[in-house]
Amino acid sequence: MRHLHFAGARGILFATLLMNLCGCSGTQAPPTAEVHEEEPSGPVWFTDVTESVGLTFVHDPGPTGKYPMPQSMGSGCAFFDCDGDGLLDIYLLHHGGPQGKKNQLFRQRPDGTFQDISAGSGLDLAGYCHGVAIGDVNNDGKPDVVVTLYGGTRLFLNQGNGQFVDISEEAGIRNPLWAMSAAFLDYDGDGWLDLVVVNYVDYDLKRECVSPQGVPDFCGPSHFVGTASKLFHNCGTGGSGEGKEGKVRFDDVSFASGIGRSTGPGLGVACADFSGDGWPDIFVANDGQPNRLWVNQHDGTFVDEAASRGVAYTAMGKAFAGMGVAVGDVASTGMLDLFVTHLGSETHTFWKQGPRGHFRDWTLESGVTGSKWRGTGFGTLMADFNLDGALDLAVVNGRVFRGGPARDSGLGFWETYAERNQLFTSDGKGKFRDVSLSNKALCGFWNVGRGLACGDFNNDGAPDLLISSIGGPARLLKNTAPERGHWLKVRALESKWKRDAVGAEVLVRAGEKQWLRLNNPAESYLSSSAPGTHFGLGRTDQIDSLLVTWPDGSKEVFPGGKVDRVVEVRRGEGRKP
Amino acid sequence: MTSPHHPPDAIPLPPIPRPPRPPAPRRRWPWLVAVLFLGGIGVGVWWWQRPVYPIPPLPTGIEDAEVRAAIEAARKPVLEHPQSGTEWGNLGLALLAHLFDREADECFAQASRLDPEEPRWPYGRALIALKRAPDKAVGFLREAVTAAGDTPSEYRSTIHLQLAEALLDRGELDEAEKIFRAEQRREPSNPRIALGLGLIAVTRGKDEEALPLLTRARTSLFARKVATAQLARIARLQQRKADADGYDKELSQLSDDPPWPDPLLDRLLEMQVGRRGRERRIDMLENQHRYAEVLQIYLAQIKEQPTSKAYVGAGVNMARIGDRELALPLLRKGVELDPESAQAHYSLALVLYTLSEQTRAANPEAPQLQAWLKETVEHARRATELKPGHGSAYLFWGLALRDLGQPRDALPPLRLAVTCLPANPEVQLALGQTLLDVGAREEAERHLRNAAQLAPKDPRPARALEQLRAGK
């Protein structure tokens, strides 16, 4: 009985006391950042062009010193083409509260520089902003914007030419909870993009957390209960898809779908067909609790099958602090794998898919545990940065509790939370190698990294990176990897709906080789990457075919051909496989 | 021959005896130097090799007086007996119990040096390392295993199994298995060992081998969820859909597995004092519904430190033991002390509403009812302003408005309550009933059905649905 008597308290003790910090936290950890310095070897893949392109953004986290937990969770970033000119624009969020700085929208000029067009754009919202998701909710061909906040979720309809209008209330987007990552998907195959919003914890601003020394610090999630995620069903505009006939209307189907029946401290989200039945599912990374894999039941409901599909826990049965989510086929198996970032005292988890619909913890085999240093990972994504045909992996780091190793960073209050980012290259067989030391533009500075998005902003065929950090500047990293291979960009479009087929999977085939990519900009953490799919092809200069699996599970084959170009494929214009 | 003219002194005189020369002084100084030199070396060697005891750490800036006193009490014996490994270890425990893990680690390190046969000290370091620097934990665990030897003790098995699990985490399956097997010979029915061996089998892809082990582990409170999750995965992989679905459903209702019993962690819990110790006692007592005792803790705290939190805690527990009217002044004081506290406003609203319900049941015409309900609205609304996702506050705001005869005004907060807490049957029921009040039958039916589904044993949703069907 004594054991039972102590069981719960022992758990909290074990989770908290063994860390150098916050007594109120449970999952956060300490230390990390044990650096094994070596001489950098290997090519430099990125150059920081933030200043030269005029991206003048410094994140406003709000007044420091009171340690409200939402402040420590950061704000995200997005690449998207806000005005339809074919150039990627940038949207960056602040967390300064209603009196703080307003979110900033930067339009890319034809010369590759950026112009701040926030004022009057409608996206110049001030608040405790966290995440951003991009999707065309009224099928008018113009990407709309969702912003998640502490205490709200807002939907902005794109009016064209960089102008947006807030339609949250009239569209039925109500979510007073602490919203984090969000993603669009068409879960019922009706052609209208639905919205999933991941909510975090039932936080009380009055909860004060201190380090053992009595120094105030941010709270962790363990002393708050998780909240239910939200699923909003897009009812359409009542027209044929032009989006002009009626107003955008969403129904809150969280309860009816099953997603709202379970709570959890959700942070990251990814939507794809993880079960292999042709219907989109929803993966939610929970902070210190088992993850959820909401498997689509084809009738508007979802069932959490995370445990039975192997992604709820690590191989050792641990529920680590899940933050950011990256999705990619790392070994060219034709199946999507999952990578989730955790605390620095844990090891990020790699779940490899196989057989279809089943995942196995591949962390040890993946090599990500052999990193040069550890960090508390947030934003993460997979892309083929050197275009050698194998997906690489980027992670941005930053602590949520005091005690980091940064010195002389110039970050002031945030220095103790700062860490360095990480970059891994892969061998195309699911084995990664840390190349952080060679890539100082991404990994050579201290930051409290949170958001990470990917997009080829200069249209040179190589994926670039956008980073957001708490209290620091946003950074735009141009891909300058030498000896890059061939590439292909594929936009899979819904002909009828005039928009990207969000959730489509594109498989490129060339001889014995194949590459699979998911068309969904919502990945990473609080961020949205550029639409479309991007393939590094190595030395392959001719492809045989493109197989597109549309979001409803139907498949079409499109002809191959030359590489180093952008291909647009439209539903209905291919042939049956 | 001698001439007569020669003076007699010419006669050779006998030699004058010279005073004996003093013996040449013996050269002692080299010896002295040598002695001094050797002595110096001896002193130097002694000085060099003398046991040097570091100053026991005392974290600075401990604000909690109880914690400071506990740590100083544990530190004093170290200052008096710095050669005692036990005293260093005990100080480490006191520090770790209050989360000073860096300082605790220093003490355990010193204790391990002075008392190498005591397994608790390297084990304490291992527990810290498991969170702080996992790569180092295995080293400390090996040290602890060596110190523990093979003599049965309270710690022996725990330390061995912790080492096996740490190795398992690192993918060192063979050595982990060896330890688990050795422990299995001692304790064949230990579910922790079954779980460890089951996880090893799973990692090796030997699912069939894992099944009986995980099934055995699942019987333990400490491994139920983890083992069930693995069984679910295997069932899905083996295409036993019904089993997999069943496990998934079961998992959705299981609470987290508590950590395995650990004598060191239990000892640390017993040592906790101050705010954390108090919070732990309160949590434990509240879980056991011992509200009167919790009330006493808060009342004592009010005397020492009259904070809003203490008043609200006292008020809530006063209400829990049935003295709702006595609870009100405490809660009002809590609000007064911290008007920006959503919890204070919400707690007051909750007790006010409960009191109004109780009073109305006895006397529907009671004069205070309206005032209490209006006050409920005020404080519940304020709680939602301070915390926009406060689903329960929306609920009481709406309920109070409904009881005040304003069902239409009650709908917005009740809808927000459902938005925040969709799986709460009370919330669904309240919205359903209020929608019924205003004649929104279709929407009412949906929420009443939700409530019935969420709380199938509660007769109220069924009654409301009957009422709806009857057209009342």
Side-chain angles (χ1 to χ4, degrees):
Chain A
M1 284 310 290
R2 186 163 170 270
H3 287 155
L4 289 178
H5 173 78
F6 274 129
R10 195 189 302 123
I12 293 170
L13 181 77
F14 191 59
T16 58
L17 72 62
L18 306 174
M19 315 179 175
N20 54 347
L21 318 166
C22 194
C24 225
S25 115
T27 60
Q28 170 54 260
T32 76
E34 194 169 320
V35 182
H36 309 288
E37 289 288 3
E38 292 168 14
E39 282 301 308
S41 62
V44 176
W45 287 356
F46 295 101
T47 303
D48 189 334
V49 294
T50 313
E51 275 189 38
S52 62
V53 299
L55 189 66
T56 53
F57 176 93
V58 177
H59 178 252
D60 176 10
T64 54
K66 289 194 172 178
Y67 299 90
M69 188 183 172
Q71 188 176 51
S72 69
M73 302 309 289
S75 309
C77 56
F79 269 128
F80 77 120
D81 181 3
C82 76
D83 52 3
D85 64 356
L87 297 172
L88 282 179
D89 309 304
I90 287 173
Y91 186 45
L92 292 155
L93 308 186
H94 287 290
H95 191 276
Q99 310 306 320
K101 282 190 195 172
K102 294 177 175 176
N103 296 343
Q104 286 173 262
L105 179 63
F106 292 88
R107 175 155 49 192
Q108 190 180 170
R109 300 185 184 101
D111 66 0
T113 61
F114 286 83
Q115 173 193 8
D116 186 342
I117 59 162
S118 314
S121 69
L123 288 182
D124 50 343
L125 164 75
Y128 303 108
C129 300
H130 284 292
V132 53
I134 309 290
D136 180 4
V137 299
N138 57 349
N139 292 336
D140 64 352
K142 297 192 280 285
D144 307 304
V145 176
V146 161
V147 175
T148 65
L149 304 95
Y150 172 72
T153 298
R154 309 279 282 271
L155 170 61
F156 297 88
L157 199 67
N158 193 332
Q159 307 291 291
N161 200 28
Q163 296 291 307
F164 293 80
V165 60
D166 185 345
I167 59 162
S168 320
E169 191 60 33
E170 65 185 82
I173 301 295
R174 284 188 204 93
N175 179 28
L177 299 167
W178 179 357
M180 297 301 285
S181 295
F184 285 102
L185 75 163
D186 181 9
Y187 73 85
D188 57 351
D190 65 355
W192 299 95
L193 286 181
D194 311 303
L195 173 67
V196 60
V197 180
V198 174
N199 290 319
Y200 193 34
V201 294
D202 184 24
Y203 174 66
D204 187 339
L205 280 164
K206 282 288 167 179
R207 178 93 197 196
E208 290 174 354
C209 293
V210 292
S211 74
Q213 283 77 11
V215 182
D217 204 350
F218 294 107
C219 292
S222 67
H223 281 70
F224 307 103
V225 295
T227 52
S229 294
K230 286 276 157 210
L231 182 64
F232 295 99
H233 175 247
N234 190 337
C235 306
T237 57
S240 62
E242 293 299 313
K244 293 173 184 170
E245 292 79 359
K247 290 183 175 177
V248 177
R249 179 74 205 167
F250 284 85
D251 275 347
D252 182 344
V253 295
S254 311
F255 183 80
S257 67
I259 286 173
R261 297 187 190 211
S262 305
T263 59
L267 287 179
V269 67
C271 301
D273 174 18
F274 294 113
S275 65
D277 62 359
W279 290 69
D281 310 305
I282 301 167
F283 174 81
V284 177
N286 279 327
D287 188 357
Q289 293 286 319
N291 302 315
R292 308 258 183 214
L293 179 56
W294 293 106
V295 174
N296 197 322
Q297 303 297 297
H298 317 167
D299 59 359
T301 68
F302 291 79
V303 172
D304 177 20
E305 296 180 0
S308 66
R309 294 189 183 274
V311 292
Y313 300 90
T314 67
M316 294 306 121
K318 291 179 179 168
F320 282 158
M323 267 83 88
V325 185
V327 181
D329 175 12
V330 299
S332 292
T333 59
M335 293 176 279
L336 296 169
D337 311 305
L338 278 165
F339 176 78
V340 178
T341 51
H342 302 307
L343 296 172
S345 60
E346 302 164 342
T347 46
H348 305 325
T349 308
F350 218 112
W351 281 286
K352 196 159 181 288
Q353 192 175 175
R356 188 75 168 108
H358 303 270
F359 292 79
R360 191 167 84 79
D361 184 340
W362 181 258
T363 308
L364 286 171
E365 293 92 329
S366 74
V368 291
T369 52
S371 55
K372 301 291 181 195
W373 56 81
R374 287 171 171 236
T376 293
F378 278 89
T380 182
L381 52 83
M382 287 187 243
D384 185 356
F385 297 118
N386 57 350
L387 309 182
D388 65 349
L391 282 176
D392 309 301
L393 175 68
V395 180
V396 295
N397 292 325
R399 298 166 60 86
V400 289
F401 290 148
R402 289 170 173 276
R407 298 291 178 270
D408 304 322
S409 66
L411 290 171
F413 173 88
W414 294 101
E415 181 169 85
T416 190
Y417 303 95
E419 289 179 325
R420 286 186 287 172
N421 305 323
Q422 287 166 294
L423 185 65
F424 300 85
T425 185
S426 90
D427 63 358
K429 296 171 187 166
K431 180 87 176 173
F432 287 83
R433 184 171 56 84
D434 192 334
V435 290
S436 304
L437 288 171
S438 310
N439 283 279
K440 295 199 181 299
L442 174 63
C443 312
F445 58 92
W446 301 104
N447 71 167
V448 191
R450 291 296 182 260
L452 178 66
C454 184
D456 178 13
F457 83 92
N458 56 351
N459 288 325
D460 67 349
D464 310 300
L465 287 174
L466 177 65
I467 304 169
S468 65
S469 64
I470 302 178
R475 291 172 197 260
L476 182 61
L477 307 185
K478 180 180 164 185
N479 191 324
T480 51
E483 299 170 8
R484 298 194 298 235
H486 293 291
W487 56 273
L488 188 73
K489 288 199 278 186
V490 181
R491 292 286 292 268
L493 301 168
E494 298 275 9
S495 322
K496 184 179 174 187
W497 306 111
K498 296 165 63 176
R499 61 166 171 79
D500 284 278
V502 175
E505 290 177 14
V506 181
L507 186 79
V508 169
R509 286 182 174 140
E512 296 297 307
K513 293 180 181 172
Q514 63 171 27
W515 297 268
L516 177 72
R517 301 288 181 265
L518 173 68
N519 183 31
N520 195 331
E523 59 176 345
S524 187
Y525 174 76
L526 307 178
S527 301
S528 187
S529 290
T533 53
H534 177 276
F535 298 83
L537 301 172
R539 293 180 181 177
T540 303
D541 57 4
Q542 187 82 16
I543 60 164
D544 300 336
S545 65
L546 293 163
L547 173 66
V548 179
T549 304
W550 298 101
D552 64 359
S554 64
K555 293 175 192 285
E556 280 182 282
V557 178
F558 295 85
K562 290 182 179 174
V563 296
D564 299 331
R565 64 189 176 119
V566 181
V567 178
E568 287 191 353
V569 294
R570 289 180 172 74
R571 190 203 280 257
E573 294 179 2
R575 64 174 172 79
K576 294 290 170 198
Chain B
M1 176 172 209
T2 306
S3 149
H5 302 285
H6 282 170
D9 58 353
I11 298 167
L13 295 174
I16 299 168
R18 290 180 182 173
R21 266 189 187 174
R26 294 177 66 188
R27 295 187 173 179
R28 290 190 201 144
W29 62 269
W31 289 100
L32 190 62
V33 168
V35 166
L36 285 174
F37 179 71
L38 289 173
I41 287 176
V43 168
V45 168
W46 171 81
W47 180 260
W48 190 255
Q49 294 194 335
R50 81 195 193 287
V52 177
Y53 303 106
I55 297 169
L58 178 64
T60 53
I62 308 174
E63 290 187 351
D64 194 318
E66 265 189 276
V67 173
R68 170 170 273 279
I71 289 173
E72 282 178 348
R75 191 169 176 265
K76 197 175 166 200
V78 182
L79 291 168
E80 288 167 0
H81 307 286
Q83 75 286 3
S84 165
T86 304
E87 300 301 354
W88 277 96
N90 287 338
L91 176 58
L93 291 176
L95 287 162
L96 191 53
H98 299 96
L99 313 190
F100 297 103
D101 61 328
R102 287 179 198 276
E103 293 84 353
D105 189 59
E106 283 177 42
C107 292
F108 289 143
Q110 179 68 5
S112 296
R113 280 191 287 272
L114 295 170
D115 192 4
E117 291 183 3
E118 172 55 63
R120 283 182 298 165
W121 315 140
Y123 184 57
R125 298 194 79 189
L127 289 182
I128 295 168
L130 280 170
K131 290 290 178 186
R132 176 182 282 285
D135 293 345
K136 292 181 180 167
V138 165
F140 293 131
L141 286 167
R142 287 190 203 283
E143 208 180 308
V145 162
T146 305
D150 245 7
T151 315
S153 75
E154 193 183 9
Y155 286 90
R156 209 206 67 86
S157 173
T158 300
I159 291 170
H160 279 75
L161 293 178
Q162 191 76 257
L163 173 59
E165 286 161 358
L167 290 164
L168 186 51
D169 272 347
R170 289 156 59 107
E172 296 176 33
L173 303 186
D174 292 344
E175 192 183 351
E177 183 182 15
K178 200 173 153 189
I179 298 170
F180 279 126
R181 296 267 179 225
E183 291 305 299
Q184 195 180 34
R185 284 192 284 279
R186 291 169 177 268
E187 297 180 81
S189 60
N190 186 335
R192 186 172 182 176
I193 297 168
L195 179 68
L197 291 170
L199 290 173
I200 288 173
V202 163
T203 310
R204 287 175 173 155
K206 296 178 178 174
D207 288 345
E208 284 299 331
E209 189 183 309
L211 277 174
L213 293 161
L214 295 168
T215 305
R216 196 187 318 156
R218 201 165 92 92
T219 59
S220 166
L221 166 74
F222 302 100
R224 187 171 299 157
K225 199 164 185 177
V226 172
T228 305
Q230 290 295 344
L231 289 169
R233 195 192 60 79
I234 295 170
R236 181 79 63 194
L237 200 57
Q238 294 180 341
Q239 301 187 337
R240 291 184 282 117
K241 186 176 183 309
D243 289 346
D245 290 348
Y247 285 133
D248 276 329
K249 193 172 178 186
E250 185 183 335
L251 282 162
S252 71
Q253 288 153 7
L254 282 179
S255 52
D256 291 343
D257 296 336
W260 292 103
D262 186 308
L264 194 78
L265 288 178
D266 288 350
R267 174 82 188 106
L268 295 176
L269 283 174
E270 285 166 352
M271 293 174 78
Q272 266 192 347
V273 295
R275 193 188 87 177
R276 287 193 182 91
R278 189 167 55 242
E279 285 175 354
R280 186 178 64 78
R281 280 196 298 282
I282 287 172
D283 282 348
M284 187 187 75
L285 292 169
E286 284 188 330
N287 286 338
Q288 295 170 1
H289 305 280
R290 291 158 65 183
Y291 303 127
E293 290 165 73
V294 182
L295 173 63
Q296 292 310 316
I297 294 175
Y298 278 121
L299 289 175
Q301 201 188 335
I302 285 172
K303 283 183 187 163
E304 286 174 21
Q305 213 178 357
T307 60
S308 168
K309 199 177 169 187
Y311 274 103
V312 171
V316 166
N317 283 286
M318 186 73 87
R320 280 172 169 164
I321 61 171
D323 289 334
R324 293 192 178 89
E325 289 200 59
L326 285 176
L328 286 182
L330 291 166
L331 291 166
R332 288 201 172 100
K333 185 71 179 172
V335 169
E336 182 193 319
L337 287 174
D338 190 355
E340 302 297 303
S341 166
Q343 182 62 19
H345 285 283
Y346 168 70
S347 301
L348 179 54
L350 168 66
V351 172
L352 281 163
Y353 184 77
T354 316
L355 188 59
S356 74
E357 266 198 324
Q358 186 191 31
T359 306
R360 190 176 49 190
N363 175 16
E365 304 302 320
Q368 318 94 311
L369 274 178
Q370 294 285 310
W372 282 341
L373 288 170
K374 283 179 185 169
E375 211 182 338
T376 303
V377 170
E378 179 194 333
H379 289 288
R381 194 188 61 232
R382 183 68 187 132
T384 65
E385 286 167 1
L386 293 164
K387 184 177 166 185
H390 205 318
S392 301
Y394 286 118
L395 172 66
F396 288 104
W397 175 8
L399 284 172
L401 283 171
R402 184 174 176 238
D403 288 357
L404 282 166
Q406 303 170 42
R408 286 189 190 283
D409 294 338
L411 286 176
L414 288 175
R415 284 190 208 284
L416 282 166
V418 168
T419 300
C420 295
L421 301 169
N424 183 322
E426 289 296 330
V427 170
Q428 293 279 2
L429 178 65
L431 179 57
Q433 287 174 326
T434 310
L435 286 163
L436 202 53
D437 291 346
V438 301
R441 300 167 62 83
E442 194 178 329
E443 197 186 349
E445 183 173 5
R446 190 164 70 241
H447 290 287
L448 292 172
R449 282 187 187 283
N450 290 346
Q453 196 182 32
L454 289 165
K457 291 179 184 168
D458 186 343
R460 293 173 300 163
R463 273 205 301 270
L465 280 166
E466 275 173 31
Q467 188 187 342
L468 184 142
R469 287 189 201 107
K472 291 177 189 170

